[in-house]
Amino acid sequence: MGGRPCRDTERKGRVGLMGRWMGLVVLATLVVAPATRAQYFGKNKVQYRHLDFAVIATDHFDVYFYEGERAAAVDAARMAERAYARISRVFNHRYRERQPIILFASHSEFQQNNITDIGEGIGGVTEPFRHRILLPFTGSYAEFEHVLQHEIVHQFQFDVFARGRIGGSIPRLMAVNPPLWFTEGMAEYLSLGPITPWLRDAALEGGLPSLAELTYDPRYSPYRFGHALWSYIGERWGDAAVGELLQATAASGVDEGVRRILGVSVADLVDEWHDAIQRAYLPQIADLATAPRAGHLARRS
C-alpha cells in the first residue's frame, strides 16, 4: 500500500495510502501508459549504479536482492516466512503463488526503483498490481522486521481483495475504497501488537477522534489511531475477527463487513471504543492535571 513511513516521519504526519485509494487510478494510468510517454527529457530516474538482482525462492516468496545483501536477504526470507505463518492464520488465507519482496541496501537505492516514487520518509511500500513489496535495510533488524510484517499484511490485503489472483484487486479496491484507519491500522496492529499506552493522554485531553475525524482529518494519524481501534477489536472479539472482517469487507464493504462480523455499525464501534478507553483510563487520571494546566502550575511555581 501507499507505504510504511519511517518512525520519525510518523511524528510529523504519515503519508497516505497512495493519496488514499483513489490514487490507485492515477498510479494505474502511469503504470499502463505507453513507454514512449514516460521517456521524454527530465522524467527518467537517475540510476547511480546498476543493481544486478538475484532471488531466494521460499515457500511463499521470491526475495530479490543484490550483491552484498545475501546474508541479510536470507534473514529477511526467514522473517517473511515466519510472518506469513502467523498472518495467514489470522486471515485464514493462503497465497496461491509466491509473492515478490524486493530488498535494497540503502534508502537512496530504494528511491531509485523503477516501480513507484518513494518519498524521503517512506520505510517500505507494497504496490497492488503485482503485490510487490519494496523496502530497504535500515541497520535495525527490529525496525526492518516491523516494516516487513506491516507490508506483508498489505500484501495479504491485496491478495484477499484479488481472490488470490495477483493484480486482480484493483477494481474491488476502488469499489470498496477502505479508509486508511482500516488498512494501515490493521497493518500496524498485526505487525506491532496491542501497544497503545498513549491513549491515556488522548482520553485526558479529549483527543479521541470521531469516526469522521478518524477517516478524513489529517490531524489524526490513521496508523496510530487505527492501530488503537484494531487493538480494541482484537482484545474484544479476538484476532480471528480481524481476518473475518477483512474477508467480509472485500466482499461487501467496510460498513456491511463490520455490521456482519461484529454486530454493530462502524459509528457504534467507534463510540464503544471511546467508552472502553474512558472506562479504562479516566479512573486512573481523575486527579491528574491536563498538560496546559500542568504547564500553568509549573510557571506559577
Side-chain angles (χ1 to χ4, degrees), residues 24-294:
L24 290 170
V25 178
V26 177
L27 185 54
T29 302
L30 294 175
V31 169
V32 302
T36 54
R37 293 178 57 189
Q39 298 301 316
Y40 57 88
F41 180 78
K43 292 299 183 181
N44 293 334
K45 286 190 177 183
V46 175
Q47 298 292 322
Y48 292 99
R49 72 183 180 98
H50 176 71
L51 303 179
D52 187 14
F53 280 90
V55 61
I56 297 172
T58 71
D59 288 344
H60 302 99
F61 301 97
D62 285 326
V63 181
Y64 293 86
F65 67 98
Y66 47 91
E67 183 180 359
E69 287 187 298
R70 176 171 289 276
V74 170
D75 289 338
R78 293 193 185 104
M79 292 178 189
E81 285 295 340
R82 185 165 60 232
Y84 177 89
R86 178 176 60 85
I87 297 169
S88 64
R89 288 195 298 270
V90 173
F91 289 145
N92 192 27
H93 181 82
R94 304 290 185 272
Y95 292 165
R96 293 182 183 177
E97 54 188 305
R98 290 196 305 275
Q99 311 229 6
I101 298 174
I102 305 171
L103 304 176
F104 295 86
S106 67
H107 199 277
S108 63
E109 290 177 347
F110 174 45
Q111 289 180 288
Q112 295 171 43
N113 80 84
N114 287 320
I115 297 172
T116 186
D117 288 330
I118 303 294
E120 284 291 338
I122 298 298
V125 66
T126 307
E127 58 87 17
F129 303 97
R130 298 184 185 175
H131 301 186
R132 290 175 290 194
I133 292 173
L134 295 81
L135 73 166
F137 290 110
T138 62
S140 166
Y141 263 33
E143 179 63 16
F144 176 82
E145 186 165 23
H146 166 213
V147 176
L148 177 60
Q149 289 181 85
H150 180 104
E151 299 304 331
I152 288 174
V153 173
H154 287 327
Q155 202 174 55
F156 267 98
Q157 290 169 343
F158 288 140
D159 208 59
V160 169
F161 270 82
R163 294 186 172 93
R165 293 186 303 107
I166 288 181
S169 62
I170 306 302
R172 193 62 195 151
L173 283 169
M174 293 176 63
V176 172
N177 195 23
L180 291 179
W181 66 260
F182 185 95
T183 53
E184 299 294 353
M186 180 188 293
E188 284 292 85
Y189 172 63
L190 291 178
S191 59
L192 284 175
I195 307 171
T196 52
W198 51 270
L199 281 173
R200 189 190 73 172
D201 295 330
L204 175 62
E205 301 293 342
L208 297 175
S210 66
L211 175 58
E213 289 170 332
L214 183 61
T215 304
Y216 302 112
D217 194 329
R219 293 176 301 169
Y220 298 96
S221 166
Y223 292 76
R224 204 176 192 205
F225 285 96
H227 179 188
L229 179 52
W230 280 106
S231 294
Y232 169 70
I233 292 170
E235 180 180 354
R236 180 172 172 184
W237 285 281
D239 282 352
V242 176
E244 291 169 1
L245 265 172
L246 178 61
Q247 299 279 356
T249 294
S252 55
V254 175
D255 293 340
E256 181 58 30
V258 168
R259 192 180 299 276
R260 181 149 58 89
I261 301 303
L262 304 184
V264 297
S265 67
V266 179
D268 286 343
L269 172 65
V270 172
D271 287 344
E272 292 176 11
W273 170 53
H274 287 185
D275 183 61
I277 294 169
Q278 291 164 347
R279 283 189 285 107
Y281 292 116
L282 290 182
Q284 302 174 21
I285 61 181
D287 297 327
L288 297 180
T290 63
R293 174 65 175 162

